[in-house]
Amino acid sequence: MTLKKLKKIQPYITDYQIKVSQKDVDIVNNAIKLMQRKPKQLAAGDIVQFADSMRVYNHAIIEDCRDKHCISICANGSAWVSHYGKKRLSVSGYSFYDVDFNDLEYVGRSKRTFSEWGSRGACASGAIPVPVTVNIWKHKSVDEFKPKGNRVTYYQHNFLECQRNPDIQPEWIYAIWYADETEWSHTYHIASFRTENQLKAFADELGFTYTWEEEREDGYKSGRCSVVIENESADKSIQDEWRYNHNKAYDKDASKKAREKARLWLDNHFKDICQAYSISQENLKKATKFKCLSNGSIVDGYFINDGERIRIYRCNPNARDFYKPLPVEEHIKFQKTYGNF
């Protein structure tokens, strides 16, 4: 790694321009040396293609592989590497799973970028990228993957409050969950309803069905939606366009004209409906408009149902031309009538 290369791949650039120095280059090169691994050599930081019951993760990361029969992976996380005399990896993000080495198949090699605090230490924009060539593995779950729909339940959502205070009345709701039951640490309601008629109306509007699989004597019910619902979709092409202009706007190596052009784009990009909803022009043509929550207010949103997956696109609250919340009275009436989604 050279100083020139590090400046080019530095992903976090701000108005205050923390300067990348030779000391940062030394930190990166030392970390890269410690993180090196041979082909087909299983190591923390390797990429794993992995699937749970709802989706495939092409860039899951190995957190710990000291026990080959209990390899810890993070489905969709980020990783920091500390180089102080020895290799240390800190992984955080989405749900964690344990897999067996015998269920992994070697696929190849690829670059993966880790993060490390630079010469300025832990501070805003003080992280520097550490690009390392890692191994790619495929878990058997990818070949066996058959997507299941989101979990839907009818449950007493204020159970703990009632346990603490017997005077509180139990409240039962219907809820569609973001993640599966194996991922409760990272799950939340995509939608919730007071009555099953509201749930049915929502399912009819978005074009899916649901089936109850379990019903208990206390009233609790659990089932599955017929499709996977993505709560906050964002198309990669739109994200890449924003990222390119953001980096260009503050790139000291770019010409003044190029920086001004990028900053002008950033000042006006939310006037574009595709940027406001993070949806490509192609997908916008296929999308259906509906009312939904965004940043706590009910505004216009879009969804696409391809028969297997429903992608919901919510409006960015900074897009003033499109983010038009319902008045408070209408907001309350809407949620009483249709539920929360």
Side-chain angles (χ1 to χ4, degrees), residues 190-192 231-232 290-301 312-315 323 331 334-335 339-341:
I190 287 178
S192 62
N231 189 41
E232 295 182 70
F290 78 127
K291 291 291 185 184
C292 63
L293 285 167
S294 175
N295 199 41
S297 296
I298 295 173
V299 297
D300 287 337
I312 296 176
Y313 296 87
R314 301 181 189 270
C315 187
Y323 191 81
H331 179 115
F334 182 94
Q335 291 193 317
N340 300 316
F341 50 84

Side-chain angles (χ1 to χ4, degrees), residues 2-98:
T2 64
L3 186 59
K4 187 176 181 180
K5 285 183 179 179
L6 184 58
K7 285 181 177 180
K8 277 193 172 295
I9 66 172
Q10 167 68 336
Y12 304 112
I13 304 174
T14 69
D15 292 294
Y16 300 100
Q17 284 294 312
I18 293 177
K19 293 182 179 179
V20 179
S21 67
Q22 183 59 42
K23 188 174 180 181
D24 295 301
V25 177
D26 295 339
I27 291 172
V28 170
N29 284 332
N30 193 22
I32 291 174
K33 184 179 179 180
L34 290 169
M35 288 289 289
Q36 284 179 340
R37 73 280 318 272
K38 298 176 182 178
K40 299 185 179 182
Q41 175 190 354
L42 189 73
D46 278 353
I47 295 170
V48 178
Q49 298 167 359
F50 175 80
D52 60 16
S53 64
M54 293 176 62
R55 53 185 68 83
V56 174
Y57 304 94
N58 289 313
H59 293 88
I61 183 171
I62 294 180
E63 178 207 21
D64 186 1
C65 58
R66 286 171 292 183
D67 181 350
K68 288 195 173 185
H69 297 295
C70 188
I71 299 168
S72 175
I73 66 171
C74 180
N76 188 20
S78 58
W80 287 70
V81 53
S82 296
H83 68 280
Y84 301 106
K86 63 178 182 179
K87 177 173 60 182
R88 291 191 302 160
L89 196 66
S90 174
V91 178
S92 62
Y94 202 70
S95 300
F96 288 75
Y97 299 85
D98 292 330

Side-chain angles (χ1 to χ4, degrees), residues 132-159:
V132 180
T133 300
V134 300
N135 295 313
I136 306 174
W137 307 85
K138 184 172 74 170
H139 188 256
K140 69 176 185 179
S141 58
V142 175
D143 294 331
E144 300 169 355
F145 176 65
K146 291 182 180 180
K148 296 181 181 179
N150 299 63
R151 179 68 62 182
V152 55
T153 62
Y154 178 60
Y155 79 110
Q156 184 185 340
H157 79 101
N158 66 341
F159 176 80

Side-chain angles (χ1 to χ4, degrees), residues 179-193:
D180 204 357
E181 68 272 14
T182 58
E183 306 168 5
W184 288 122
S185 61
H186 272 83
T187 192
Y188 54 87
H189 296 170
I190 287 178
S192 62
F193 311 92

Side-chain angles (χ1 to χ4, degrees), residues 186-283:
H186 272 83
T187 192
Y188 54 87
H189 296 170
I190 287 178
S192 62
F193 311 92
R194 295 293 177 185
T195 68
E196 189 165 5
N197 284 336
Q198 291 178 339
L199 170 60
K200 289 178 179 177
F202 179 74
D204 290 342
E205 182 176 19
L206 270 63
F208 69 93
T209 59
Y210 61 92
T211 304
W212 297 118
E213 298 173 343
E214 177 190 3
E215 297 188 38
R216 298 199 306 235
E217 291 183 0
D218 63 357
Y220 173 86
K221 294 193 289 187
S222 176
R224 288 272 182 191
C225 297
S226 59
V227 296
V228 173
I229 303 174
E230 293 182 358
N231 189 41
E232 295 182 70
S233 293
D235 292 340
K236 186 176 183 298
S237 61
I238 301 299
Q239 292 178 315
D240 288 345
E241 185 179 14
W242 181 90
R243 189 175 293 110
Y244 169 82
N245 282 282
H246 179 269
N247 288 346
K248 182 66 70 175
Y250 302 107
D251 184 357
K252 282 188 172 182
D253 294 330
S255 66
K256 181 179 178 181
K257 185 177 180 180
R259 291 198 303 268
E260 289 177 349
K261 182 179 178 181
R263 288 178 180 176
L264 181 63
W265 185 92
L266 290 172
D267 289 341
N268 294 284
H269 75 289
F270 278 135
K271 294 180 180 179
D272 176 6
I273 189 171
C274 292
Q275 287 290 331
Y277 287 91
S278 294
I279 186 172
S280 68
Q281 191 66 46
E282 179 184 358
N283 282 337

